[in-house]
Structure formats: structure tokens, C-alpha cells
Amino acid sequence: MNTKLFVGNLSFNTSENDLQDLFAAHGPVTSVDLIMDKFSGKSRGFAFVTMETKEGAQAAIQALHGKELNGRDLTVNEARPREDRPRTGGSGGSGGSGGSGGGRGGGRKEYRSRY
């Protein structure tokens, strides 16, 4: 059974191949997914590495958590399931934590009343 690992605190210069080579020393690697920023195309500083066996995953965690790679101390642990989060639009529309815009509206009214 595959085990997915979270790898954090990565240098922005770390590649998927670097991670593949690093983790393969501890067991068979099924996949490496380096998370990239969709706008800049640069690394976001974390990745997910899927190990083929639970034993390989545990060996990698033991050996690599806190280990230095490209000038950064790695964080390596078992990945948690992704939480369901509501999708939000870019408009900051209704019902969000921004409220109903009362603070902004009040500011505009004050601005108008001063002039």
C-alpha cells in the first residue's frame, strides 16, 4: 500500500529529481509532486512524495526529517488528508468573512460628509 509523505521547508532550487533520488535511498518511490505556484511557476517550498511501502515511508521519515538539503532543514511526515474547504471567488462577494462591506461603506460616507 502506498504512503504519501509531506515534505516541507524545501529550497526553491530543489527539483523533483532531487527528491526522487533522496527518497529512493529509503525505498521504492511511486511519485514525486513538487507544488508550484500557478502564477509565477516557481516552487512553493513543499512537495508530496508517495512511497510504495509503509516501511519505506517510515524509514524516509526517520532518516530525512530535520536533514539539511540545499541549505534548508527538511520537514518530513506522513501527509494528512486534504480538508474540504469551500471554494471562494476572487470578488470577495457575499457571505464571506469580509462581512457585508459595512466598514468600507461607512468609510465612504464619512469621506463624502467631510467635503
Side-chain angles (χ1 to χ4, degrees):
M1 183 171 148
N2 292 338
T3 302
K4 186 181 267 193
L5 302 177
F6 169 81
V7 185
N9 200 33
L10 292 172
S11 162
F12 298 119
N13 299 321
T14 302
S15 70
E16 286 186 355
N17 286 336
D18 294 336
L19 293 173
Q20 171 75 34
D21 295 344
L22 186 65
F23 280 80
H26 305 285
V29 175
T30 305
S31 68
V32 177
D33 189 16
L34 183 62
I35 307 303
M36 306 298 271
D37 182 271
K38 63 182 173 183
F39 298 110
S40 69
K42 294 182 181 179
S43 168
R44 292 187 58 197
F46 68 97
F48 295 97
V49 176
T50 304
M51 303 292 290
E52 190 173 295
T53 65
K54 184 91 169 159
E55 295 77 23
Q58 288 303 317
I61 291 170
Q62 292 295 317
L64 300 176
H65 182 74
K67 178 179 166 68
E68 187 268 332
L69 177 67
N70 296 331
R72 307 286 299 264
D73 292 337
L74 297 178
T75 298
V76 181
N77 51 46
E78 197 164 335
R80 295 186 303 248
R82 185 177 176 136
E83 294 177 8
D84 288 334
R85 289 177 282 176
R87 291 226 181 255
T88 58
S91 66
S94 63
S97 62
S100 61
R104 289 188 302 255
R108 282 191 289 263
K109 288 178 186 173
E110 286 179 35
Y111 177 78
R112 288 182 193 147
S113 65
R114 282 188 279 168
Y115 295 100

